């Protein structure tokens, strides 16, 4: 790899001579000229701008691509992808965006293909790929692009989906469902939302914790058939439309088994469905060698979590909404303490990843294996450390507390907004507060905050009204580095890339235990927690804004303004 900058140097300026040298190296290596240039260490924005100047070609950035209308009637999407170019309309003008201006085959094809006059524009390959990915999401979900071939079924009976094997010879409903499942997995969505409206069905994906609208399928009959197809795959009662139903199914994509957990909910227009996507292999790749350092917590939070997960007995509670990374945090903590000297048993619904050296039990409520029943059996199996996937009822809570009080270290989760709401949740379950606080070592509340894309993040200056509404004092504004993402090919135009976890940790000391047992107001417990070093979620999110890691808008989305 050649390590140079685009800035002109005495030895090797980025000029026509350098392009000639790049062509020569591309021929010798059997790769494209663009690949040689990209491998030379140039910044993408500088590379494409300088290349446009040398070739006398206008440059299109991501914001320009979003502003123009794709001309798929003149150059169909599939053909555009095949030739790695795209046609846009700008008023009466047609722009041909190309990522490889050195391709003689592309030029020969374009001259023969277009009868109209087109203006050639240069676009970075990553930006063009991001444009195709965005269009592909919508078009696959709406069943406009995917080729039709008959679905094969593997020996286990799990349907095998791929671009080449989706749906030839099957109904329109099956094609729509299967193409949506395939596309959602490729987009790395965590959930698929199918929302019934008056005469149509809206398709949305949750990506990085945010819902993204994909498209709308018109026709009430077709919408109902799609929901029915999901129910059939999940082995649910298609005739029952008045009560909620839960199920699950598996499909195979590119040789990988993907689990889908399905929730059907009646609505005024029919039924809505939410499909949770569980890719065990992807999670396995993430968990392999996972430590708390990789989750994005700050150093103080990591040290506290490690101390709590290394206690000889007691309970560590992790709380947060669905998709906030609770299970991943527990897996990381257990992986760090799993030295082979302790008997570690988990009971989960479902088991998302197999932990080496850990006995994991899946909940099976149809067979009578609930969290409570499984936890009773676990205690007879001589464990040292126990993980309970989720405390959902008073019975499970009581058994988990007794386990923590009798010499076991219990890891578990519960759904609550923050560490203080957990106290109310257990109180409403009828749990004895003295036993609860005696067993509890600490509570971790967490959220996942999207990080600004490092390739397109720019400084911004929010107006004073928005800053005030965000609870930030004007005399502290200078401490913040306000930034936002403008969107680029690296982040698929979203402005964000990746997520970090933020934490709110409550350590139980004697004072806080006494306040909880005495049922003192939450305000007093918060004051005592702050004096004891608790750092609230809002403060952790604003710290990321101060460092320029995320936007103020994202901090407001994830945490409540206090």
């Amino acid at each position: 790899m050649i390590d140079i900058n685009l800035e002109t140097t005495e030895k090797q300026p980025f000029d026509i001579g350098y392009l000639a040298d790049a062509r020569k190296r591309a021929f010798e290596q059997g790769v494209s000229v663009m690949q040689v240039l990209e491998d030379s260490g140039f910044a993408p924005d500088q590379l494409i701008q300088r290349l446009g100047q040398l070739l006398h070609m206008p440059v299109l950035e991501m914001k320009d691509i979003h502003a123009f209308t794709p001309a798929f009637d003149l150059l169909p999407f599939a053909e555009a992808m095949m030739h790695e170019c795209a046609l846009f309309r700008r008023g009466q003008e047609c722009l041909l965006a190309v990522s490889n201006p050195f391709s003689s085959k592309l030029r020969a094809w374009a001259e023969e293909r277009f009868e109209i006059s087109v203006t050639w524009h240069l676009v970075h390959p990553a930006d063009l790929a991001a444009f195709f990915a965005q269009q592909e999401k919508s078009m696959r979900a709406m069943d406009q692009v995917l080729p039709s071939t008959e679905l094969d079924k593997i020996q286990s009976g799990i349907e095998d989906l791929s671009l080449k094997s989706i749906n030839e010879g099957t109904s329109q409903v099956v094609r729509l469902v299967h193409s949506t499942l395939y596309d959602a997995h490729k987009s790395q969505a965590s959930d698929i939302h199918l929302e019934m409206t008056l005469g149509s069905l809206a398709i949305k994906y949750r990506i990085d914790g945010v819902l993204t609208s994909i498209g709308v399928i018109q026709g009430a009959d077709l919408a109902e058939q799609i929901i029915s197809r999901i129910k059939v795959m999940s082995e649910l009662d298609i005739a029952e439309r008045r009560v909620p139903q839960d199920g699950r199914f598996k499909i195979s994509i590119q040789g990988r088994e993907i689990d889908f957990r399905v929730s059907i909910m009646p609505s005024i227009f029919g039924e809505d469905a939410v499909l949770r996507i569980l890719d065990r292999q992807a999670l396995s790749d993430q968990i392999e060698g996972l430590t708390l350092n990789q989750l994005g917590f700050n150093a103080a939070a990591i040290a506290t979590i490690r101390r709590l997960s290394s206690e000889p007995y007691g309970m560590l509670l992790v709380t947060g909404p669905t998709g906030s990374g609770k299970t991943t945090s527990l897996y990381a903590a257990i992986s760090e303490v799993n030295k082979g000297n302790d008997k570690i048993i988990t009971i989960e619904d479902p088991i998302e990843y197999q932990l080496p050296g850990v006995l994991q039990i899946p909940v099976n409520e149809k067979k009578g294996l609930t969290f409570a029943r499984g936890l009773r059996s676990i205690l007879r199996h001589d464990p040292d450390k126990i993980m309970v996937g989720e405390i959902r009822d008073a019975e499970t809570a009581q058994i988990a507390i007794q386990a923590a009080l009798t010499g076991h270290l219990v890891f578990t989760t519960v759904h609550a907004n923050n560490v203080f709401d957990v106290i109310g949740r257990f109180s409403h379950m009828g749990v004895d507060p003295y036993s609860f606080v005696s067993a509890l070592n600490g509570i971790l509340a967490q959220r996942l905050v999207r990080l600004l894309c490092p390739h397109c993040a720019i400084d911004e200056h929010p107006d004073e009204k928005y800053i005030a509404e965000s609870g930030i004092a004007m005399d502290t504004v200078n401490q913040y580095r306000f930034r936002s993402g403008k969107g680029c090919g690296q982040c698929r135009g979203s402005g964000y890339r990746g997520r970090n976890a933020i934490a709110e940790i409550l350590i139980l000391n004697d004072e806080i235990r006494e306040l909880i047992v005495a049922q003192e107001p939450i305000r007093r417990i918060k004051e005592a927690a702050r004096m004891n070093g608790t750092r609230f979620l809002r403060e952790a999110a604003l710290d990321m804004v101060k460092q320029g890691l995320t936007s103020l808008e994202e901090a407001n989305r994830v945490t409540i303004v206090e």
Side-chain angles (χ1 to χ4, degrees):
M1 177 179 292
I2 301 173
D3 187 15
I4 66 172
N5 292 320
L6 279 180
E7 300 298 330
T8 302
T9 65
E10 295 181 0
K11 293 183 178 179
Q12 195 172 32
F14 186 83
D15 55 14
I16 294 298
Y18 184 75
L19 283 183
D21 182 58
R23 285 176 178 270
K24 180 180 178 182
R25 284 182 284 133
F27 178 78
E28 293 172 349
Q29 298 172 19
V31 298
S32 69
V33 180
M34 286 299 296
Q35 184 173 337
V36 170
L37 294 176
E38 287 186 357
D39 289 345
S40 298
F42 298 155
D45 291 345
Q46 291 179 314
L47 167 64
I48 210 70
Q49 291 293 339
R50 182 60 178 149
L51 191 58
Q53 294 172 6
L54 292 175
L55 299 179
H56 304 289
M57 289 182 65
V59 174
L60 290 182
E61 297 181 356
M62 199 68 189
K63 62 179 188 220
D64 302 320
I65 293 176
H66 288 313
F68 300 150
T69 303
F72 289 139
D73 55 331
L74 299 177
L75 180 62
F77 178 76
E79 191 175 358
M81 285 192 68
M82 181 185 303
H83 293 281
E84 297 182 351
C85 62
L87 193 65
F88 297 94
R89 285 191 177 91
R90 182 173 62 185
Q92 300 298 320
E93 184 182 10
C94 286
L95 314 179
L96 183 65
V98 300
S99 61
N100 185 7
F102 304 101
S103 173
S104 57
K105 291 183 179 180
L106 176 63
R107 288 191 173 275
W109 166 81
E111 290 176 2
E112 185 177 341
R113 173 67 174 76
F114 298 112
E115 298 179 357
I116 59 173
S117 175
V118 297
T119 305
W120 285 61
H121 284 64
L122 187 60
V123 63
H124 194 278
D127 288 344
L128 186 62
F131 165 74
F132 284 145
Q134 291 170 346
Q135 295 296 320
E136 204 172 20
K137 284 194 300 186
S138 174
M139 300 181 78
R140 280 186 188 149
M142 298 303 295
D143 197 32
Q144 297 176 8
V145 165
L146 293 177
S148 298
T149 55
E150 189 173 356
L151 275 174
D152 297 324
K153 294 190 178 180
I154 59 177
Q155 293 181 352
S156 63
I158 301 174
E159 295 178 350
D160 187 12
L161 304 185
S162 68
L163 279 175
K164 294 183 177 180
S165 68
I166 282 183
N167 301 339
E168 186 175 43
T170 58
S171 70
Q172 180 186 14
V173 172
V174 176
R175 289 199 301 271
L176 282 166
V177 171
H178 288 170
S179 60
T180 300
L181 298 180
Y182 182 93
D183 180 57
H185 175 261
K186 183 178 179 182
S187 301
Q188 297 182 330
S190 61
D191 304 86
I192 304 171
H193 290 244
L194 304 177
E195 300 176 355
M196 193 81 75
T197 60
L198 183 61
S200 63
L201 183 72
I203 301 177
K204 300 177 181 179
Y205 297 162
R206 187 177 295 280
I207 302 175
D208 284 343
V210 178
L211 275 181
T212 302
S213 180
I214 302 302
V216 177
I217 297 175
Q218 299 295 335
D221 290 342
L222 181 58
E224 290 178 0
Q225 291 175 40
I226 289 172
I227 299 296
S228 294
R229 171 63 184 173
I230 296 293
K231 293 166 76 172
V232 168
M233 296 174 70
S234 310
E235 299 182 356
L236 300 177
D237 184 359
I238 62 173
E240 181 56 74
R241 300 184 178 182
R242 297 166 296 178
V243 298
Q245 297 188 68
D246 297 315
R248 61 185 61 190
F249 63 88
K250 293 182 180 181
I251 61 172
S252 175
I253 297 178
Q254 297 176 341
R256 297 164 59 170
E257 285 191 13
I258 312 298
D259 292 322
F260 289 81
R261 286 193 289 177
V262 180
S263 173
I264 305 292
M265 188 70 65
S267 70
I268 59 174
F269 298 115
E271 291 178 297
D272 286 12
V274 174
L275 288 70
R276 183 81 184 274
I277 305 173
L278 297 174
D279 187 343
R280 297 177 189 274
Q281 183 172 332
L283 185 60
S284 172
D285 295 340
Q286 296 171 11
I287 297 295
E288 192 70 36
L290 180 68
T291 64
L292 290 168
N293 298 82
Q294 298 169 333
L295 303 183
F297 292 118
N298 61 38
I302 291 173
T304 304
I305 297 170
R306 282 184 176 145
R307 178 163 63 86
L308 290 172
S309 59
S310 300
E311 298 286 357
Y313 54 83
M315 178 185 291
L316 170 59
L317 264 172
V318 182
T319 188
T322 300
S324 60
K326 299 187 298 295
T327 301
T328 304
S329 294
L330 286 182
Y331 279 165
I334 290 174
S335 296
E336 287 194 358
V337 300
N338 183 18
K339 307 299 184 182
N341 302 323
D342 295 320
K343 181 74 171 183
I344 303 176
I345 306 179
T346 75
I347 180 165
E348 307 170 59
D349 182 25
I351 295 174
E352 297 185 9
Y353 170 72
Q354 296 178 1
L355 294 168
V358 176
L359 173 58
Q360 295 175 270
I361 304 170
V363 166
N364 190 337
E365 294 187 357
K366 292 182 179 180
K367 300 295 184 180
L369 179 55
T370 61
F371 276 114
R373 184 175 178 181
L375 190 50
R376 284 198 189 93
S377 299
I378 287 173
L379 293 176
R380 295 193 291 269
H381 213 69
D382 190 29
D384 296 295
K385 295 177 173 62
I386 302 168
M387 173 181 158
V388 183
E390 182 183 349
I391 291 181
R392 299 173 178 172
D393 52 59
E395 185 180 10
T396 306
Q398 294 284 7
I399 301 171
I401 290 171
Q402 290 302 315
L405 289 172
T406 54
H408 306 89
L409 181 61
V410 178
F411 300 85
T412 188
T413 73
V414 67
H415 284 287
N417 290 323
N418 53 56
V419 295
F420 305 101
D421 287 348
V422 171
I423 300 170
R425 284 296 308 274
F426 277 80
S427 176
H428 290 150
M429 289 182 188
V431 174
D432 174 41
Y434 184 81
S435 299
F436 174 55
V437 298
S438 298
L440 191 60
N441 293 335
I443 307 172
L444 163 65
Q446 70 176 66
R447 297 289 189 277
L448 294 178
V449 179
R450 291 184 297 171
L451 300 174
L452 290 170
C453 174
H455 301 279
C456 66
I458 57 174
D459 292 334
E460 67 169 359
H461 303 284
D463 59 52
E464 293 186 1
K465 181 180 178 182
Y466 187 63
I467 292 175
E469 290 174 348
S470 301
I472 298 175
M474 294 306 299
D475 58 352
T476 65
V477 167
N478 291 336
Q479 302 175 14
Y480 290 81
R481 185 186 179 190
F482 295 112
R483 304 178 77 207
S484 63
K486 65 179 182 179
C488 67
Q490 302 293 327
C491 60
R492 293 191 170 189
S494 68
Y496 298 93
R497 188 175 184 184
R499 292 189 289 178
N500 267 9
I502 57 174
E504 177 180 280
I505 306 175
L506 176 65
I507 303 294
L508 272 289
N509 58 16
D510 290 341
E511 181 187 2
I512 294 176
R513 286 189 171 97
E514 290 172 1
L515 292 174
I516 295 175
V517 171
Q519 297 183 349
E520 293 288 338
I522 292 295
R523 175 180 53 80
R524 289 200 58 191
I525 300 175
K526 283 186 176 182
E527 291 173 356
R530 184 181 291 277
M531 294 294 293
N532 194 37
T534 295
R535 187 163 164 267
F536 301 146
L537 285 169
R538 180 65 180 175
E539 296 171 349
L542 290 180
D543 277 351
M544 292 184 64
V545 178
K546 290 179 180 179
Q547 299 172 50
L549 298 176
T550 192
S551 65
L552 181 57
E553 180 184 9
E554 175 69 3
N556 290 342
R557 183 188 71 84
V558 173
T559 59
I560 293 177
V561 178
E562 298 178 351

